[in-house]
Amino acid sequence: MIALLVVACEVAFWVLLAAGLALRYVARKPRLGAAVLLCEPLLEVVLLVVTAIDLKNGAEPDWKHGLAAVYIGFTVGLGHHTIRWVDAWVAHRWFGGPPPVKPPKYGMARAAHEWRTAARWILAATVALGLLQAAVWYVGPGGDISSLRSWQQKMGLVIGINLIIAGGYTVFPKQAPKDADQAAEREPADGR
């Protein structure tokens, strides 16, 4: 049941996102669209409550309970950014809005972008770790918590990978190609 609920929450996330954007741009009701988009966190609350009830009713914790914690964590850490990005893309693609801002490609600006991205992923993994640990405490020492511990290890790996990537861009910043600098010097300032 929990696995199906995780899938249902993911589908509902995209349905609510599409409905919110349709109300915002097609129906020209930006406040109503924003209200629909604000309903997104309710999905995670429902998933959290159902998972807790399932554990309370004696279900043995397994990978599905861990997946629910990870899904909630990733929605908390990455959901807002995803909604903002999709909103900007839809506004540009179909409604004449400005193009979404692309991340910088080179230098310390790219490193700063990678640290912001890493922060979102680390927040997601940290929330998932916290929920997984709460489930471990809830089950207690008598229950089988190996699947929850396995998910915790994976979240630790997510944190480590993001720190390595962001640190790599900081220590070894990507340099702009030499020919790109020369081409920029030859182009007129007004873009003609």
Side-chain angles (χ1 to χ4, degrees):
M1 180 174 125
I2 298 296
L4 289 176
L5 187 58
V6 170
V7 171
C9 284
E10 179 66 13
V11 170
F13 174 86
W14 292 104
V15 168
L16 280 174
L17 181 57
L21 294 174
L23 286 168
R24 186 174 177 142
Y25 294 110
V26 177
R28 303 226 186 266
K29 302 211 180 264
R31 288 187 182 168
L32 184 57
V36 169
L37 292 175
L38 287 173
C39 290
E40 298 276 1
L42 294 176
L43 297 172
E44 283 66 49
V45 171
V46 168
L47 182 58
L48 182 62
V49 167
V50 169
T51 303
I53 290 171
D54 192 42
L55 287 172
K56 182 156 180 64
N57 289 337
E60 196 65 32
D62 62 9
W63 67 271
K64 296 177 289 250
H65 297 96
L67 178 63
V70 169
Y71 178 79
I72 292 167
F74 279 67
T75 302
V76 168
L78 302 167
H80 179 71
H81 177 74
T82 302
I83 291 170
R84 280 190 19 219
W85 182 83
V86 171
D87 183 29
W89 184 81
V90 166
H92 170 67
R93 178 79 168 96
W94 288 297
F95 299 101
V101 177
K102 292 185 178 183
K105 291 183 179 181
Y106 308 109
M108 292 313 286
R110 178 60 186 225
H113 168 75
E114 292 300 330
W115 279 108
R116 285 189 298 274
T117 300
R120 285 190 288 275
W121 281 93
I122 291 169
L123 172 63
T126 302
V127 169
L129 279 167
L131 291 172
L132 289 164
Q133 187 59 45
V136 166
W137 288 332
Y138 184 74
V139 171
D144 179 20
I145 56 171
S146 60
S147 62
L148 299 175
R149 291 287 187 212
S150 174
W151 278 109
Q152 285 181 319
Q153 291 170 351
K154 290 173 182 144
M155 293 305 96
L157 189 61
V158 167
I159 291 171
I161 289 170
N162 278 281
L163 289 173
I164 289 169
I165 291 171
Y169 274 96
T170 302
V171 175
F172 306 107
K174 189 174 178 184
Q175 301 298 319
K178 299 285 185 211
D179 58 341
D181 292 337
Q182 293 169 355
E185 289 174 8
R186 289 190 296 243
E187 291 180 14
D190 62 358
R192 284 189 249 158

